[in-house]
Amino acid sequence: MEMAATDIGEALDEVRGQIEKAVQTAGRPSDAVTLVAVSKFHPAAAVEAALRAGQRVFGENRVQEAAEKFPRLREQYPHLRLHLIGGLQTNKAREAVRIADMIESLDRPTLSDALAKAADQEGRMPDLLVEVNTGDEPQKFGVPREKADEFIRQSRMRFGEQLRGLMCIPPAGEDPVPHFRFLRSLADQHGLPVRSMGMSADYPLAIAEGATLVRVGTAIFGARPAGVAGD
Ligand SMILES: *Cc1c(COP(=O)(O)O)cnc(C)c1O
């Protein structure tokens, strides 16, 4: 069931309050963390309710779904920013480059090639994050830990400043903190300013460990339909 617009506004206020508290506790600057509202599987009306409540940055997993919802909303809300946060197939690279402001899931050389080609064709390039599979889970997207250093270096050479940072999704049911620390230190080693980590269940912890982007879905928009967790 979809949440009413007022409920989405209230949920956003609650999440913003939690973020502010975590930022203060960590002694970080008040603008250190950006909230990415993950709207996958929720209709455009839910996104619009969040936009009216002042939310600006959104995350979607699937290119197709994002392409259906966002270009129209963007006409009305030109400040909107769209992050693609799901595993990306190379045949979706061009559409992704066309619609996204940031792609958080760069994880292999073939995708780098596809994105570079798409950027040439489209005349624009979104910001990029390398997704690191910090738990080395076989079913997950993301570059494995042992290949991360080299892939980040290559991506930096290829995309320059457009490579902004790193993203991770720690294994479900594990303490996420070691994963957040690993991502943080890897980003620091490479001089990358953006760390995308933390979801509904653990974003305050991620902020304590240096997240600059938190990706929060359920805590804002409510539960997604069963069976479509989407990562
Ligand atoms: C779905 C998803 C989220 C949001 O998860 P919630 O637990 O609903 O906050 C964050 N990041 C990624 C990559 C996702 O796929």
Side-chain angles (χ1 to χ4, degrees):
M1 216 189 63
E2 284 306 321
M3 279 166 75
T6 47
D7 294 342
I8 290 173
E10 278 173 25
L12 262 172
D13 281 346
E14 168 68 23
V15 171
R16 288 187 188 125
Q18 295 289 335
I19 289 173
E20 201 180 301
K21 208 169 80 183
V23 165
Q24 270 175 11
T25 305
R28 300 177 58 194
S30 61
D31 62 351
V33 176
T34 298
L35 172 61
V36 180
V38 178
S39 51
K40 65 186 180 200
F41 304 116
H42 295 284
V47 176
E48 214 174 338
L51 282 161
R52 280 200 302 270
Q55 179 61 25
R56 210 167 74 86
V57 187
F58 293 85
E60 286 281 340
N61 273 52
R62 298 183 184 175
V63 176
Q64 188 57 42
E65 184 182 346
E68 281 161 19
K69 287 197 281 199
F70 278 86
R72 237 172 322 178
L73 289 166
R74 211 191 270 280
E75 285 173 20
Q76 217 182 328
Y77 299 90
H79 301 305
L80 174 165
R81 283 184 61 85
L82 174 62
H83 290 204
L84 289 174
I85 61 175
L88 188 57
Q89 294 170 272
T90 51
N91 64 4
K92 301 278 169 60
R94 187 154 180 191
E95 181 80 357
V97 163
R98 191 179 301 144
I99 64 171
D101 299 294
M102 182 181 275
I103 294 172
E104 299 200 14
S105 48
L106 176 61
D107 64 356
R108 60 199 191 279
T110 51
L111 183 56
S112 300
D113 294 345
L115 290 173
K117 185 174 164 207
D120 276 348
Q121 290 167 324
E122 294 294 326
R124 79 189 295 273
M125 183 58 155
D127 288 334
L128 299 170
L129 303 184
V130 166
E131 178 175 356
V132 182
N133 185 357
T134 59
D136 282 335
E137 297 171 278
Q139 79 282 13
K140 273 219 180 129
F141 293 101
V143 60
R145 283 173 92 115
E146 66 161 23
K147 291 190 177 163
D149 243 335
E150 180 61 20
F151 184 63
I152 294 165
R153 224 188 326 271
Q154 285 169 356
S155 304
R156 189 60 180 272
M157 276 195 302
R158 182 158 200 177
F159 298 111
E161 292 293 304
Q162 218 107 29
L163 179 71
R164 303 284 299 150
L166 307 180
M167 182 271 244
C168 75
I169 309 169
E174 246 183 60
D175 177 4
V177 168
H179 297 272
F180 296 155
R181 290 193 177 150
F182 177 77
L183 197 79
R184 166 85 202 247
S185 83
L186 196 57
D188 286 350
Q189 282 164 39
H190 288 273
L192 294 167
V194 176
R195 284 95 56 179
S196 176
M197 52 195 203
M199 321 203 312
S200 291
D202 55 19
Y203 66 92
L205 279 175
I207 290 169
E209 298 299 336
T212 65
L213 295 179
V214 291
R215 309 177 310 269
V216 179
T218 310
I220 297 170
F221 294 108
R224 291 178 288 273
V228 288
D231 54 19

